Amino acid sequence: MIRSSFDAIVIGGGLVGAAIAYGLQRQGLATLLLDEGDIAFRASRGNFGLVWVQSKGLGAPHYQRWTRGSAEEWPKLAAELQQRTGIGTGLQQPGGVHICLDEEEFAQRDAYMAQLRREAGNLGLEYRMIRGAEARDMLPGLGPGVAGVSWTPYDGHASPLYLLRALHTGFTGAGGTYRPDARVDGAACAPHDFRIDAAGQSFRSPRVVLAAGLGNADLAPQFGLHAPVRPQRGQILVTERARNLMLMPTTTIRQTEEGSLMLGDSKEEVGFDLGQTPEAMKMIANRAVRAFPWVADLNIVRAWSALRVMAPDGLPIYDQSLRYPGAFTANCHSGVTLAGIHANRLAPMIAAGQLEPDMAPFSAERFDVRSAA
Ligand SMILES: Cc1cc2nc3c(=O)[nH]c(=O)nc-3n(C[C@H](O)[C@H](O)[C@H](O)COP(=O)(O)OP(=O)(O)OC[C@H]3O[C@@H](n4cnc5c(N)ncnc54)[C@H](O)[C@@H]3O)c2cc1C
C-alpha cells in the first residue's frame, strides 16, 4: 500500500501524462502517476519521434504557436532531464524537410507553407521551398525524381523511448509516486476533491489530470469533461543501421542516433485494429525509396503499428472541468513534440489551478459537446 492522499493525480503514464506529472512534481506538488499497463493502447511506445513544427496548425494559429513554443522548450527540458537523470533523449534540432515527390506535391506544399506563414502573423515563420542541387546538398542521396522540399529551421527529432524513460525517472527522482498496473476503474468527484479508485486502492487529491490517451474518451464524462478522441493507426518500418547519411529528419524518414532509418507512416481509420498490412508497408517503403533510392539496399528489421490519439479536428484538447474544477484533461497526437510545453507550461498552469486565457481555443467546447453526449 502506498500513501492515499496527493496534491495531484495524473491518470496515464504515456508521454503526455509523464510530461505533466514530471512538471507538477518539479513544481513541488506531491504527485501520483497511475498507469493501466502493457495491455493498454500506448501511442508513446510506437511513434516516429519527430519534434515537428512545419506541418502543424494550418487554420489554427494557436496550435502553430503552441507547437513552436514546445520546440523552444525542448532543449531546456532535454538538458534538465539529462542533468537530473543521466538519460539523454537524443534531441537534435537541425531543421527538417518535407519531401515532395512530384510537381503536384510541391505546388500543394508551397501553397500550404505560404498559408501557414500568413496565419503565423507576428510570430513569423521562416521557411523555404528548395529544389535541385541545393536540396541534394542538404540531403545527400536524394532521388532524381524528387521535385523539391519545404524546409524550416524549427524541426527536429528525439528518441521517444528515452524521453519516456527520462520523464519517468525524473518524476520518481523528484519524489513522485508511480503506480503501474493501476487501471482507474472508478471515481467520485466534487469540486477540488477527487477520489480515484485503482488497483484495489482509493486515492484522494484536489487535482486530477486525465492523460490516458484513448482511455480519456471513457474517463472524461465521469469528471464533467469531454474528450472525443478516436484511434488512427500508423505503421512504421525500421531498417538495419546505415552509414550516417541523413543530415536532418524528414516528415516520413529519419535516422536514429543509433543509425537505423525509421520509415513512416500511414494514417488509417481502422478503429482499434493494431494489425499491419502489406499494402501500407509497401506504400511506406515505395515512398522512401523514391525519396532516397539507396534505402532499397537496406534490410527491414522491424515493423509495427500503433494508434494515434486523434480529436475530430486533429488538434489537441486541453480543458478544466466546469462542473468539477480541479479536473483537467490533456489529449494530443503529437506527444513527443509537445513534451517540452506540457512539462514547462501546461503543468505550471495546472499547478496554479487555471488554464491561461490563450488556452481557450483548445477547449472541447469547440465540438458539439451536447449532441456528442
Ligand atoms: C505511428 C505514430 C507515429 C507518431 N509520430 C509522432 C511523432 O513523430 N511526433 C510526435 O510528436 N508524436 C507522434 N505520435 C503521437 C504520439 O505518440 C502521441 O501523441 C502520444 O504518444 C500520446 O501520448 P499519451 O500519453 O496521450 O497516450 P498513450 O501513449 O496512449 O498513453 C496513455 C496511457 O494511459 C494509460 N491508460 C489508459 N486508460 C487508463 C485508465 N483507465 N487508467 C489508468 N491508465 C490508463 C495507458 O496505460 C497508457 O500508458 C505518433 C503516433 C503514432 C501512433
Side-chain angles (χ1 to χ4, degrees), residues 20-371:
I20 294 171
Y22 171 74
L24 291 172
Q25 185 68 38
R26 194 189 46 188
Q27 293 262 123
L29 273 70
T31 302
L32 171 65
L33 179 58
L34 297 168
D35 190 65
E36 178 174 358
D38 284 338
I39 53 161
F41 295 105
R42 293 167 132 184
S44 302
R45 286 161 173 79
N47 67 67
F48 198 62
L50 293 177
V51 178
W52 210 244
V53 171
Q54 68 167 287
S55 308
K56 308 285 174 63
L58 191 74
H62 58 288
Y63 184 37
Q64 200 183 144
R65 277 195 300 280
W66 188 243
T67 305
R68 281 273 287 284
S70 196
E72 282 167 25
E73 292 298 331
W74 242 103
K76 286 179 244 166
L77 178 67
E80 187 185 280
L81 288 172
Q82 171 85 55
Q83 192 258 322
R84 282 173 176 248
T85 69
I87 300 169
T89 54
L91 175 69
Q92 291 178 35
Q93 291 175 300
V97 302
H98 177 85
I99 294 174
C100 307
L101 291 179
D102 55 35
E103 288 302 326
E104 192 185 341
E105 285 185 17
F106 191 84
Q108 278 171 6
R109 190 67 181 179
D110 198 7
Y112 178 99
M113 296 304 292
Q115 174 82 10
L116 211 55
R117 178 185 276 168
R118 275 194 295 279
E119 292 176 2
N122 293 339
L123 182 66
L125 176 72
E126 187 182 346
Y127 81 92
R128 289 183 54 216
M129 299 298 300
I130 302 173
R131 289 182 181 273
E134 192 182 353
R136 280 163 236 294
D137 282 349
M138 283 174 99
L139 297 163
L142 199 63
V146 171
V149 303
S150 62
W151 165 88
T152 74
Y154 314 108
D155 298 310
H157 56 153
S159 162
L161 295 180
Y162 279 127
L163 168 63
L164 189 61
R165 189 165 152 225
L167 288 168
H168 275 257
T169 307
F171 171 68
T172 51
T177 306
Y178 175 52
R179 188 75 198 263
D181 302 317
R183 179 185 162 80
V184 170
D185 44 29
C189 304
H192 304 293
D193 182 14
F194 300 92
R195 195 202 71 221
I196 306 294
D197 303 328
Q201 217 184 322
S202 290
F203 305 97
R204 288 196 96 94
S205 177
R207 277 179 209 82
V208 62
V209 183
L210 310 187
L214 292 167
N216 272 355
D218 287 339
L219 283 171
Q222 300 175 53
F223 295 82
L225 288 160
H226 187 53
V229 286
R230 70 170 197 285
Q232 185 193 63
R233 188 170 72 189
Q235 298 186 48
I236 290 175
L237 309 180
V238 182
T239 73
E240 62 186 318
R241 293 177 185 185
R243 271 187 307 130
N244 191 358
L245 282 166
M246 292 213 56
L247 303 180
M248 63 179 74
T250 81
T251 325
T252 55
I253 307 170
R254 75 178 190 94
Q255 189 162 29
T256 66
E257 260 194 321
E258 296 80 14
S260 303
L261 293 195
M262 291 184 68
L263 316 178
D265 51 2
S266 55
K267 295 183 170 59
E268 304 164 71
E269 300 295 337
V270 290
F272 286 89
D273 180 354
L274 261 178
Q276 291 165 267
T277 60
E279 296 76 28
M281 293 163 105
K282 202 168 142 189
M283 179 277 291
I284 290 168
N286 273 340
R287 284 190 67 89
V289 170
R290 281 175 69 194
F292 294 101
W294 53 270
V295 170
D297 294 333
L298 300 174
N299 290 307
I300 302 292
V301 294
R302 276 192 299 285
W304 64 76
S305 76
L307 302 178
R308 293 185 187 82
V309 181
M310 195 59 79
D313 58 4
L315 304 178
I317 302 171
Y318 305 107
D319 251 332
Q320 175 166 203
S321 175
L322 288 175
R323 197 173 340 144
Y324 304 118
F328 296 84
T329 186
N331 315 262
C332 73
H333 75 80
S334 289
V336 183
T337 305
L338 296 177
I341 210 156
H342 285 164
N344 291 355
R345 256 200 77 197
L346 182 62
M349 291 185 216
I350 292 169
Q354 199 140 29
L355 298 181
E356 287 166 10
D358 63 353
M359 300 295 283
F362 289 116
S363 167
E365 282 180 16
R366 67 186 188 266
F367 307 116
D368 188 350
V369 175
R370 230 166 307 167
S371 78

